[in-house]
Amino acid sequence: MTTHGDDDDATVDDVTSTISEEAGTLRKKGGLLSNWPYPPSGGWAADDLDRLPEEGPNGELDFFKHVELVDGALIFMSPQKRFHDVVIRRLASSFEAQAPEHLAVATQMDVTLGVRQRPCPDVLLIDATLDHDHDRTSYTPEEVHLVVEVVSPESKLRDREVKPPRYAAAGIAHFWRIEEEGGKPVVYVYELDPATRAYVPVGIHHGRLSVQVPFPFEIDLADLLS
């Protein structure tokens, strides 16, 4: 954001003036962001994410490339550490090598849980019948068998406390959370209790992960970083 003060440091009046000017420009443009940073009438909805422009309010490229909707709020994801990127790619590759034919792997694709809920898990297992539908921008909970969140410093609260109950309430049977502990990945595995629609912890995996559901899968967790 630019400022208009005479000194090097911005003043309150400088910032207020800049915000007013930018808001006026956006209102003149019209469209979904005409009242930015305010949401559309009625609040943000899941379908709005498919109508967001390629550029941000000030022409920033890929401004909306990594955004999800949680409880009606747009969440802009911060740049990620190398750990986050490597774990996602190598876990997805391991899934693809071991998954049965009825499952397919997706990474960083949205799941529409409801009108105000459209999170973007890091790794998903979906119905294999959807694998070649290249026009899809989101999946439904019924199409998703597992969601995996790789925790980063800015996403700890969302990945630990906010998103899991929403995945569970939507009926997604399996949830994994991967944390970095001492430079190594640790996998927290949860299964859905259908009676309570809540996740139950079934294992914390250090060093090696071996599970039977949603399909028999085994991996040396060191391979996610090697």
Side-chain angles (χ1 to χ4, degrees):
M1 177 181 292
T2 58
T3 60
H4 304 288
D6 295 329
D7 300 325
D8 292 336
D9 296 328
T11 66
V12 172
D13 288 339
D14 294 334
V15 175
T16 302
S17 175
T18 302
I19 292 174
S20 298
E21 291 175 8
E22 293 175 352
T25 300
L26 290 170
R27 281 194 292 270
K28 292 177 182 178
K29 290 182 179 179
L32 191 60
L33 295 181
S34 59
N35 292 314
W36 183 268
Y38 303 103
S41 177
W44 295 103
D47 290 344
D48 289 333
L49 271 64
D50 288 325
R51 297 191 291 269
L52 292 172
E54 293 182 3
E55 297 182 352
N58 297 304
E60 304 93 334
L61 294 176
D62 295 329
F63 186 82
F64 295 103
K65 185 176 181 180
H66 298 294
V67 62
E68 56 186 349
L69 184 71
V70 178
D71 296 338
L74 291 182
I75 307 296
F76 292 84
M77 289 167 274
S78 302
Q80 302 297 332
K81 294 170 59 177
R82 178 66 171 166
F83 174 90
H84 190 268
D85 173 65
V86 171
V87 168
I88 289 173
R89 289 190 293 105
R90 293 184 180 165
L91 179 62
S93 178
S94 296
F95 276 163
E96 289 176 340
Q98 299 184 45
E101 292 184 357
H102 71 279
L103 295 177
V105 184
T107 60
Q108 297 181 313
M109 287 287 294
D110 294 356
V111 182
T112 300
L113 306 179
V115 174
R116 305 294 178 196
Q117 309 287 350
R118 185 169 161 173
C120 183
D122 291 313
V123 185
L124 309 86
L125 286 177
I126 60 174
D127 290 336
T129 55
L130 306 170
D131 197 29
H132 299 292
D133 185 354
H134 297 162
D135 292 327
R136 291 290 290 268
T137 59
S138 178
Y139 299 109
T140 66
E142 295 78 14
E143 297 168 332
V144 177
H145 300 265
L146 165 71
V147 292
V148 182
E149 295 286 6
V150 181
V151 177
S152 57
E154 61 86 23
S155 71
K156 287 181 180 179
L157 179 63
R158 293 196 306 278
D159 293 343
R160 292 174 178 175
E161 301 180 28
V162 177
K163 293 163 73 173
R166 286 145 183 80
Y167 292 139
I172 297 176
H174 301 278
F175 171 72
W176 296 1
R177 190 182 79 248
I178 302 180
E179 304 252 4
E180 181 180 7
E181 298 182 10
K184 299 178 181 179
V186 177
V187 183
Y188 296 77
V189 175
Y190 300 83
E191 292 182 23
L192 182 67
D193 179 345
T196 63
R197 303 282 281 193
Y199 285 129
V200 177
V202 294
I204 302 175
H205 299 262
H206 302 258
R208 191 164 194 84
L209 170 65
S210 179
V211 296
Q212 293 302 307
V213 289
F215 69 93
F217 177 74
E218 189 169 356
I219 186 175
D220 186 337
L221 294 178
D223 291 342
L224 294 179
L225 296 178
S226 62

